Structure formats: C-alpha cells, structure tokens
C-alpha cells in the first residue's frame, strides 16, 4: 500500500504481515515462548492512567523534544534499537536506517548481526552523524579486541553490550519456520568481566538488557555510563519485565538513580504517549525495534515516516497532557498506582 496510507506505527506491522514472506515477518514479530512478555511490553502502558493538566500554555512543546545521549545532540528522545537482519524487509537493509536516522537527526544503534558490516554501515553515515555500535561479546579476548578495534576505526561513539542474552532465546514462533536465534549461547560473563572490557577500548560501554533495580544499582557502582532497560522486545525470556516496570521499580526505590546514570529503555513503544510515560520517570530516551524493522519495507522513506509519526505523536500527546516542556516532565503526569485487578 501507498506509504501515505500509514497513519500510525501499528500500520507498519499490518503491512509487514501481509506483504513480507511469512518466514521473514515471523523472525521480526517473534517473542519468546508464550509471548506473554512480548504482549506485556505493549499492554503495560495502558495499565496506568494519565493525569493530564488543562489550561497550560503548551505552544512551544515541539521545540522541547531535542535531547542529549552521552553528550551527543539529537532532535528527539527516541532512537533505533539494534536489530539483526534488516535485509528481511529491504535489499538496502541497514543502510536505510543510517540514512533515515541522519535525515531525522536521531540516534541509530546498528546491531552486530546486521546484514551489512560495521564498516559498510559507517561508510553510509552523514558527516558528523553519531552511531552507537551494538556488540555481542565472547569470553575470548582476541575476538572482543578485534570487534573493539573495528568499532573504533568505524567511528562509533559508544558500544552497546547486550547482556540479556546469556543463553539462546526460546523462540517457538520462529523455530516453526526454521528461523534460528542469531544470539550467543551460554556466555560466561560477570561484572568483573565488564570491568576488564573497559581496559580494552576507549569507547564508553553501555549495558543493554538491565531488568532489575539491583542490576541498575550494580551498574551505578561499577560506573557504567548508561544502561538500557530492555527485555529484548520479549524475545529472550518469557516472564521478563517490561522497561516501564523496571523504571518504576527504580523510581520507587531511589529516584536519584536516574541522575547517577543515563537510563535508556526499549520494548513495546508504539505511540507517543508510551515514550512520554518512560520519560516521566527519568528515562533519557527510548528505543524502537520492530516498528523500524517493519517500516523498512518502504526503505528509507519508511524509516523517516516512523520518526515523523513519533515526533508528531510525542508533541500532541504531551500537549494534551498539559506538558509545556518535555525536558521538565515529571512523574506526576501518571497515576502510578495500579488499578484494581492488576
Ligand atoms: C532485536 N533485538 C536485538 N537486540 C540486540 O541487542 N541485538 C540484536 O541483534 C537484536 N536483534 C533483534 C532482531 C529483531 C528482529 C528484533 C525485533 C529485536 C532487540 C531490540 O534491540 C530491542 O530491544 C527490541 O526490539 C525492542 O522492542 P520492540 O520495540 O521491538 O517492541
């Protein structure tokens, strides 16, 4: 269908379901086991009521969307999460994400298991464009050092070390179509291993896949510069919490945590208001995975459309919530008590 018919992010999933080969669609859409965490990621945002304020001057809201991530400037508080195999939707694969992110001035995190190499993706960058490179590391030092050297040479500004995949994801849906998990299995990692990695690269190493307040506290103790609250889009461990639940757990234990470390989050974000809810707790920026993967059916135009829709929805939803300045958003805009029955 004509891209003009797309009005919201879920429309891209509809198009992908109907127009991609079923095996390709299934690889993107898949969640672990019974997919409860996958669904919870989407549904958790509607479990809490908003507390919109009225008669507030919100006329400047659009100009307050810009943000910094590890000191780098971006036009909006959302980014493209690292996802493998963009060639399943488009022949130009990840190149559409690099170019789309540049056009919309947002952050892109290329995945190690991208279809295009770290070097090819870097070569498609606009001058000055910032990328954070996602890596799966191994206990083998030579393997990691080689990846660090390639990442530094390609000009990435940070490394995203995915830590939520200690074992393979239990992916029934994809397995039925013969699509295996591309992730590592039974890695022998530890917090001390993280500290050793820091001596092997000059780039900041962000941890992706933090799912408890305890691990967020440990990350602060170990002086990790930033963490991504994530359950891998519900693809790894069914029953794992959504980013919103983890952010709330952190906020309730010690809300100053969000000042001590940069907190990013992803999973299930499909509407402007979903992003706003995470930001309200102190999350700096949120990532989207599947919506960008599906949008790539339309190539770079699709990627830009996701960015445009998200920017627009964040602005109008914040406006309707009576938020004059997105940078000064507070948790008071959400009723964090769970309604009866939850
Ligand atoms: C992913 N994700 C992922 N994460 C990562 O660190 N390395 C990877 O290689 C991949 N690969 C991957 C492939 C596909 C097809 C998907 C959908 C996801 C997880 C991704 O970074 C992110 O955490 C989730 O996609 C966020 O959830 P939503 O936005 O897809 O609901």
């Amino acid at each position: 269908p004509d891209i003009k018919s797309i009005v919201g992010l879920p429309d891209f999933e509809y198009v992908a379901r109907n127009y991609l080969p079923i095996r390709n669609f299934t690889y993107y859409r898949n969640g672990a086991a019974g997919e409860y965490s996958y669904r919870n990621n989407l549904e958790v945002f509607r479990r809490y009521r908003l507390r919109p304020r009225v008669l507030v001057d919100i006329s400047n809201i659009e100009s307050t969307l810009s943000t910094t991530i590890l000191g780098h400037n971006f036009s909006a508080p959302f980014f493209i999460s690292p996802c493998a195999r963009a060639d399943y939707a488009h022949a130009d694969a990840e190149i559409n994400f690099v170019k789309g992110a540049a056009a919309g001035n947002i952050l892109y995190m290329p995945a190690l298991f991208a279809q295009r190499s770290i070097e090819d993706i870097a070569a498609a960058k606009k001058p000055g464009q910032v990328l954070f490179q996602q890596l799966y590391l191994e206990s083998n030092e030579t393997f990691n050092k080689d990846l660090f050297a390639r990442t530094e040479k390609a000009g990435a500004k940070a490394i995203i070390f995915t830590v939520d995949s200690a074992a393979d994801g239990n992916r029934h849906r994809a397995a039925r179509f013969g699509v295996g998990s591309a992730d590592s299995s039974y890695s022998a990692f530890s917090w001390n291993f993280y500290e050793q990695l820091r001596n092997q690269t000059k780039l900041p190493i962000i941890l992706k896949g933090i799912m408890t307040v305890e691990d967020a506290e440990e990350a602060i103790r170990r002086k990790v510069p930033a963490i991504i609250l994530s359950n891998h889009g519900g693809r790894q461990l069914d029953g794992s919490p959504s980013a919103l639940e983890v952010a709330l757990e952190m906020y309730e234990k010690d809300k100053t945590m969000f000042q001590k470390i940069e907190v990013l989050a992803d999973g299930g974000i499909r509407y402007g208001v979903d992003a706003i809810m995470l930001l309200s707790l102190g999350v700096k920026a949120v990532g989207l995975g599947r919506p960008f993967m599906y949008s790539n059916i339309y190539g770079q135009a699709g990627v830009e459309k996701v960015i445009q829709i998200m920017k627009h929805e964040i602005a109008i939803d914040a406006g309707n919530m009576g938020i004059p300045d997105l940078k000064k958003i507070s948790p008071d805009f959400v009723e964090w008590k769970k309604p009866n029955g939850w």
Side-chain angles (χ1 to χ4, degrees):
D2 192 317
I3 193 166
K4 289 201 191 74
S5 66
I6 301 276
V7 299
L9 269 42
D11 295 350
F12 285 112
E13 177 173 346
Y14 172 84
V15 173
R17 187 185 289 271
N18 287 287
Y19 295 91
L20 283 183
I22 185 68
R23 185 175 182 274
N24 298 21
F25 171 74
T26 302
Y27 174 69
Y28 289 167
R29 164 60 185 77
N30 187 73
E35 302 190 335
Y36 299 100
S37 287
Y38 167 85
R39 290 193 295 280
N40 184 53
N41 282 357
L42 299 167
E43 289 167 9
V44 70
F45 296 108
R46 300 293 87 78
R47 201 171 297 157
Y48 300 94
R49 291 290 84 79
L50 303 178
R51 304 185 66 248
R53 305 302 301 268
V54 299
L55 295 175
V56 177
D57 179 358
I58 50 92
S59 52
N60 289 322
I61 185 65
E62 274 189 350
S63 67
T64 69
L65 258 55
S66 65
T67 195
T68 63
I69 304 174
L70 290 188
H72 303 284
N73 293 311
F74 300 100
S75 69
F78 60 87
F79 56 89
I80 306 180
S81 284
C83 296
R85 302 187 196 175
D87 57 317
Y88 275 23
H90 196 278
D92 293 334
E94 287 80 13
I95 302 304
N96 297 324
F97 295 137
V98 195
K99 294 192 171 165
N105 189 15
I106 65 160
L107 173 61
Y108 170 38
M109 302 178 178
L112 173 64
F113 294 132
Q115 168 67 16
R116 300 300 174 89
S117 68
I118 294 175
E119 291 77 11
D120 285 354
I121 290 172
K125 273 190 309 187
K126 191 168 141 182
Q129 183 180 356
V130 171
L131 300 180
F132 290 1
Q133 177 65 48
Q134 185 267 335
L135 297 178
Y136 284 110
L137 298 170
E138 294 191 357
S139 7
N140 177 340
E141 204 172 303
T142 324
F143 176 89
N144 298 337
K145 278 189 174 157
D146 173 58
L147 278 182
F148 288 155
R150 286 176 59 197
T151 302
E152 289 177 17
K153 189 146 179 276
K157 297 293 181 211
I159 287 165
I160 310 289
F161 175 25
T162 303
V163 291
D164 61 20
S165 312
D168 275 346
N170 182 17
R171 300 181 188 170
H172 293 180
R173 187 191 284 261
R176 286 186 195 106
F177 290 89
V179 195
S181 161
D183 305 336
S184 57
S185 51
Y186 304 115
S187 337
F189 294 143
S190 66
W191 284 98
N192 288 336
F193 173 78
Y194 172 81
E195 301 220 337
Q196 288 161 24
L197 290 176
R198 281 212 292 231
N199 303 325
Q200 294 165 23
T201 173
K202 56 180 194 297
L203 294 175
I205 307 178
I206 296 172
L207 294 180
K208 175 173 183 281
I210 297 294
M211 291 174 279
T212 58
V213 64
E214 288 91 336
D215 279 344
E217 287 170 329
E218 188 68 36
I220 292 171
R221 273 197 292 277
R222 304 271 177 167
K223 302 203 165 38
V224 177
I227 51 176
I228 307 181
L229 310 180
S230 174
N231 64 2
H232 215 108
R235 295 164 74 80
Q236 279 301 117
L237 175 64
D238 209 15
S240 57
S242 68
L244 189 73
E245 289 164 314
V246 183
L248 189 57
E249 186 177 273
M250 288 169 62
Y251 181 82
E252 283 172 349
K253 176 135 187 220
D254 174 9
K255 58 184 166 204
T256 69
M257 290 178 86
F258 293 91
Q259 275 91 60
K260 294 180 184 150
I261 189 166
E262 279 195 24
V263 181
L264 311 175
D266 75 15
I269 295 148
R270 302 292 181 267
Y271 301 97
V273 68
D274 304 348
I276 293 172
M277 289 173 79
L278 282 158
L279 298 178
S280 80
L281 288 170
V283 169
K284 201 104 211 262
V286 300
L288 288 81
R290 293 182 187 83
F292 280 112
M293 300 307 277
Y294 299 141
S295 76
N296 197 20
I297 290 180
Y298 294 99
Q300 185 184 337
V303 177
E304 289 187 39
K305 183 93 179 184
V306 172
I307 298 172
Q308 181 210 321
I309 290 172
M310 274 305 281
K311 282 183 181 171
H312 179 65
E313 288 193 4
I314 290 174
I316 59 176
D317 289 347
N320 282 314
M321 288 170 76
I323 299 168
D325 180 346
L326 201 64
K327 294 177 180 46
K328 297 203 187 109
I329 186 173
S330 82
D332 301 340
F333 285 99
V334 181
E335 173 53 68
W336 292 111
K337 242 187 2 264
K338 282 185 193 153
N340 287 340
W342 285 104

